[in-house]
């Protein structure tokens, strides 16, 4: 058996396979980015006390507070957050399926980060869930897009 060098027939075959594989991976990355665009923007939490802007953070999704009521700012002090606006609440979300992402959510008034899921609902709203104990105890909120 001969060695498949980069210049022989086997080498060309590997280059074609590698090129096709890289094109597929690039296509999947572009598709994931397009899917994430559905959740990019400014969102209001359920109580209307926070506005969070979601955007790409490298290849992942994240979201930071861009506006907060005085009450939300005061509540965040309980968790040790002195500057709520600018705080990243949604951290390192990766796409897990159609209209769903998994990552971590920081809860300012508790000063803690929890495992989390985001689901884009058919209505266009976002359902944000934060979970304790390996997902056994979860709370969720529905967020609305800010016009």
């Amino acid at each position: 058996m001969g060695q498949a060098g980069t210049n022989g027939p086997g080498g060309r075959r590997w280059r074609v396979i590698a090129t096709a594989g890289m094109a597929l991976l690039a296509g999947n990355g572009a598709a994931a980015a397009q899917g994430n665009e559905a959740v990019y923007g400014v969102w209001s939490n359920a109580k209307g006390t926070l506005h969070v802007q979601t955007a790409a953070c490298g290849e992942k999704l994240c979201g930071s507070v861009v506006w907060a009521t005085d009450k939300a700012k005061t509540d965040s002090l309980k968790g040790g957050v002195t500057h709520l606006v600018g705080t990243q609440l949604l951290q390192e979300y990766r796409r897990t399926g159609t209209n769903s992402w998994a990552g971590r959510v920081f809860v300012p008034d508790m000063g803690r980060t929890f495992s989390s899921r985001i689901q884009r609902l058919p209505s266009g709203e976002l359902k944000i869930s934060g979970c304790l104990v390996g997902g056994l105890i979860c709370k969720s909120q529905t967020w609305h897009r800010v016009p």
Side-chain angles (χ1 to χ4, degrees), residues 35 38-39 95-101 118-122 126-127:
V39 295
R95 193 176 182 91
T96 57
T98 303
N99 295 321
S100 60
W101 296 260
I118 296 175
Q119 181 180 8
R120 187 163 186 268
L121 303 174
L126 298 182
K127 179 180 176 184

Side-chain angles (χ1 to χ4, degrees), residues 22-40:
M22 289 189 308
L24 281 172
L25 288 174
N28 286 342
Q34 285 179 333
N36 285 345
E37 289 173 6
V39 295
Y40 292 165

Side-chain angles (χ1 to χ4, degrees), residues 130-142:
C131 300
L132 297 169
V133 193
L136 294 177
I137 302 170
C138 299
K139 285 191 168 193
S140 64
Q141 291 184 357
T142 301

